[in-house]
Structure formats: structure tokens, C-alpha cells
Amino acid sequence: MAKQLDYHTIREIFTRFHASEPAPKGELDHVNAYTLVVAVALSAQATDAGVNRATKELFRIADTPEKMLALGEEGVTQHIKTIGLYRNKARNVIKLSKILVEDYGGEVPNSRTALVSLPGVGRKTANVVLNMWWQYPAQAVDTHIFRVGNRSGICPGKDVDAVERAIEDNIPVDFQQHAHHWLILHGRYICKARKPMCANCIIRDLCLYEDKTL
């Protein structure tokens, strides 16, 4: 774990991220808050591309909790069976859809507590939905962010909760809205787990990672 970078270094890092991609977006396809919740819940232990392939037809016919309930668990299963843990995920999609209809009038709630009460929705999923749909600067820490944060010193922490706090505490407020997207994309395409592409990294001179590769 690298030490925490100072304010000026972090500001320069995110100034560069912003210059490279001013408004980064998540890569999960969705058409409303409900399909975003479902897509993010399905993305656990799966790639965004894989989820998008599975949900393309699913969301065409079931883009509300009412329509998803009408489709039924077996119908959902048939659409998402290419995704890991698909049976359990299909069960959770039906359960959360039922709760949304019965307790929230078919609408997706926008508090973290309400979101994490839904089956298959954890803190990370809730933070993605709050950030992407309601533009709240919530930080969804995944394996990419955890790796980048600890390698670089941007937001080091012993667990995802500590990394989330480090982002909130140390990244300047004007970069908070897109912070987790910049970090995810950097980890996914540049600061990879096995072979980080340090030669192509726009923050190489600011990063504390000791094993930089050419």
C-alpha cells in the first residue's frame, strides 16, 4: 500500500484525467433508474460487455419492475444465463422488483439505505446508481479502484470502505462527481492488475507505484 498523496499531487492527477476525458460515463447499458439497478446488480463477477449482451433483449421487453415480474424468474433466467451466478441473480431481480412495486410504487428509491435493502444490491451498486442516475458524488469502489488507489497513493486503504473514505476525504470536491469513473477506467485500461501499461500512463510521474513497467 502506497502512502496517501498530498492535495496538490491529487489535484494535478485529476486535472489530467479531466483533460483526457471531461465527462466519463459508466459502460453498463440502461434506459432508466430501474434498468440501471438491475444492470449493476447483474455485473457482480461479470464484465460490463457480458451484461450488456444479456440485457439488450431483456430490457427491451422488461424495463420496469412490473414488466419484469410479468416475465417471471424463469423468463429472466433465460435472458441472463450467459452471466455468472445467473440463477441467483434472476431470483434477486424478481425479489427486488416485487419490493419496488409493493413498497415504492414501482419507483427506484434514491437513498443508500433504501437501495441496499433490495436483494442483490450492496453498497457499491447503490453508489453507482446514486452517482450515475442522481448525480450524487457517491464513490463505488470496485477491484480496479482498490488496486489503483493503493498502487498510486491516490486513495489507499486496507479495504473498500477505507478506500471510499480516502476518495471522499482527499479528492477535491470539483472532481468528486466523476472520480470513481476516472479511476475505474484507468484501472481497466491502463493500470491493469498483471501488466500495468505504465508507458502509456498520463500520471506516471505522479504515481507512487514502485514497479513501473516500460
Side-chain angles (χ1 to χ4, degrees):
M1 182 191 301
K3 67 178 182 179
Q4 176 67 59
L5 290 170
D6 63 72
Y7 173 84
H8 298 291
T9 303
I10 291 177
R11 172 161 284 284
E12 176 60 25
I13 285 172
F14 282 90
T15 296
R16 295 182 190 182
F17 283 157
H18 179 270
S20 177
E21 182 67 50
K25 300 182 183 301
E27 298 181 330
L28 285 171
D29 294 338
H30 60 283
V31 296
N32 54 30
Y34 171 70
T35 54
L36 178 58
V37 170
V38 173
V40 181
L42 293 177
S43 70
Q45 299 183 45
T47 66
D48 288 357
V51 172
N52 289 340
R53 285 192 295 271
T55 58
K56 182 177 181 180
E57 180 65 17
L58 175 64
F59 290 163
R60 189 184 69 78
I61 62 176
D63 60 355
T64 69
E66 293 86 355
K67 292 177 183 177
M68 197 70 75
L69 288 173
L71 184 60
E73 184 177 327
E74 188 54 37
V76 175
T77 299
Q78 291 306 308
H79 282 283
I80 68 169
K81 59 185 178 181
T82 57
I83 302 175
L85 307 175
Y86 66 92
R87 291 196 181 279
N88 187 57
K89 290 178 179 179
R91 191 174 306 114
N92 282 336
V93 167
I94 292 299
K95 286 181 179 179
L96 72 84
S97 298
K98 188 171 187 290
I99 292 172
L100 290 177
V101 170
E102 293 180 350
D103 296 348
Y104 297 98
E107 300 294 325
V108 175
N110 62 352
S111 81
R112 187 181 286 116
T113 296
L115 284 168
V116 298
S117 72
L118 300 173
V121 177
R123 185 180 180 89
K124 184 182 77 171
T125 297
N127 283 349
V128 170
V129 175
L130 291 173
N131 182 285
M132 290 181 62
W133 195 256
W134 283 285
Q135 287 75 56
Y136 177 77
Q139 308 302 330
V141 178
D142 68 354
T143 56
H144 296 300
I145 293 180
F146 188 81
R147 178 176 66 256
V148 172
N150 278 290
R151 271 182 178 172
S152 66
I154 294 172
C155 47
K158 63 181 181 180
D159 53 37
V160 294
D161 291 337
V163 170
E164 182 180 331
R165 288 194 301 272
I167 295 173
E168 294 173 344
D169 291 346
N170 294 285
I171 294 175
V173 169
D174 47 318
F175 295 119
Q176 288 272 337
Q177 179 60 47
H178 296 304
H180 92 275
H181 279 132
W182 280 315
L183 292 169
I184 287 172
L185 293 173
H186 191 66
R188 184 174 290 166
Y189 298 112
I190 301 296
C191 195
K192 300 179 181 181
R194 294 185 179 180
K195 294 183 178 180
M197 300 171 64
C198 298
N200 299 326
C201 178
I202 62 174
I203 64 166
R204 178 175 178 167
D205 57 316
L206 304 173
C207 171
L208 296 179
Y209 185 46
E210 295 181 351
D211 299 323
K212 290 186 174 70
T213 58
L214 298 177

